Amino acid sequence: QVQLVESGGGVVQPGTSLRLSCAGSGFTFSHYDMQWLRHSPGKGLEWVAVILHDGSREYYIDSVKGRFTISRDNSENALFLQMNSLRVEDTAVYYCAKDGGYSSPDLWGQGTLVTVSS
Amino acid sequence: DVVMTQSPFSLPVTLGQPASISCRSSQSLVYIDGNTYLSWFQQRPGQSPRRLIYKLSNRDSGVPDRFSGSGSGTDFTLKISRVEAEDLGVYYCVQGVQWPYTFGQGTKLEIK
């Protein structure tokens, strides 16, 4: 079954860290660029980070540069998002997604909720 | 960043009738390879987004042919020829021509 399953969300205080994981199955994980997106009531849907299929390059939106790190382990079909120095405005449902060509994800996970609150 | 502007914000529809959603980008979405990097996504209540259309007008596998995408340059349209109950939800246009890729604010398709 082709799917992505995220884990690692939760409620944390501002300034702390969280690591999200995403397990891919049913497709050749190492062949695809992967990405993290998020959905919040205030900002809607937005990309967070992208990593190329071989891990050779990463892209981040400005608001998370220097705080978040995307990584992958192709031997384990796994994608990660290390989130440091979390802010209230990082509160969102975070989705792992597989690139489906033309910079457009064709497979999404179910999402994991991250709540940053004091 | 490329700004994606959708209209309307909310679209009341009658089942069986057509529906149309517009999207405008702040710059051309034609990439150097000649393709238009515009996609459409559907998000049903309680579900993750699902891609319907990529590269302007190509339907994803399993997407009913009542959905069609069209447009050029900076103006785009998603059309549903006959709305069915399962089509209710929020629709987003997305550009992939320039990082950061960006979404429109969404159009909520609801029953009239």
Side-chain angles (χ1 to χ4, degrees):
Chain A
Q1 184 180 359
V2 179
Q3 65 177 1
L4 295 167
V5 179
E6 303 98 336
S7 60
V11 181
V12 296
Q13 292 191 330
T16 60
S17 299
L18 205 57
R19 189 188 197 213
L20 305 183
S21 300
C22 170
S25 59
F27 63 98
T28 307
F29 188 84
S30 62
H31 287 187
Y32 296 94
D33 299 346
M34 296 294 295
Q35 39 213 263
W36 287 99
L37 302 95
R38 65 187 180 185
H39 195 180
S40 63
K43 296 181 187 176
L45 275 163
E46 62 177 349
W47 258 270
V48 176
V50 174
I51 186 167
L52 298 189
H53 65 97
D54 58 0
S56 62
R57 193 158 183 180
E58 304 152 26
Y59 300 85
Y60 300 92
I61 56 172
D62 285 348
S63 60
V64 308
K65 276 181 188 173
R67 300 189 299 123
F68 289 13
T69 303
I70 188 172
S71 61
R72 65 190 297 162
D73 183 343
N74 285 342
S75 67
E76 296 290 333
N77 294 340
L79 179 71
F80 306 100
L81 186 67
Q82 177 66 42
M83 304 186 293
N84 298 331
S85 302
L86 281 161
R87 304 169 180 169
V88 171
E89 54 265 33
D90 295 318
T91 295
V93 175
Y94 284 73
Y95 294 99
C96 161
K98 163 186 165 288
D99 185 69
Y102 306 98
S103 309
S104 178
D106 66 346
L107 178 67
W108 297 60
Q110 84 285 357
T112 187
L113 177 61
V114 173
T115 302
V116 184
S117 173
S118 54
Chain B
D1 296 0
V2 178
V3 177
M4 305 295 288
T5 304
Q6 289 181 231
S7 62
F9 176 75
S10 174
L11 182 57
V13 297
T14 300
L15 294 180
Q17 294 300 304
S20 179
I21 299 170
S22 296
C23 174
R24 177 167 290 178
S25 57
S26 60
Q27 64 187 68
S28 173
L29 300 189
V30 180
Y31 193 56
I32 54 174
D33 61 5
N35 291 305
T36 300
Y37 281 44
L38 184 281
S39 303
W40 289 95
F41 287 80
Q42 173 196 61
Q43 188 170 27
R44 292 169 172 154
Q47 296 187 14
S48 301
R50 166 200 182 195
R51 194 175 71 178
L52 300 175
I53 303 284
Y54 64 95
K55 203 174 63 170
L56 182 64
S57 59
N58 294 265
R59 272 189 306 275
D60 273 275
S61 174
V63 174
D65 61 7
R66 62 179 181 273
F67 289 93
S68 63
S70 63
S72 63
T74 61
D75 286 283
F76 311 99
T77 303
L78 176 71
K79 291 183 180 176
I80 309 174
S81 57
R82 293 173 308 280
V83 174
E84 298 189 6
E86 65 178 16
D87 300 337
L88 302 182
V90 182
Y91 290 79
Y92 299 91
C93 59
V94 179
Q95 69 84 15
V97 76
Q98 175 183 296
W99 181 257
Y101 311 138
T102 46
F103 289 82
Q105 78 276 23
T107 295
K108 187 174 184 179
L109 193 72
E110 50 194 9
I111 293 289
K112 186 180 291 184

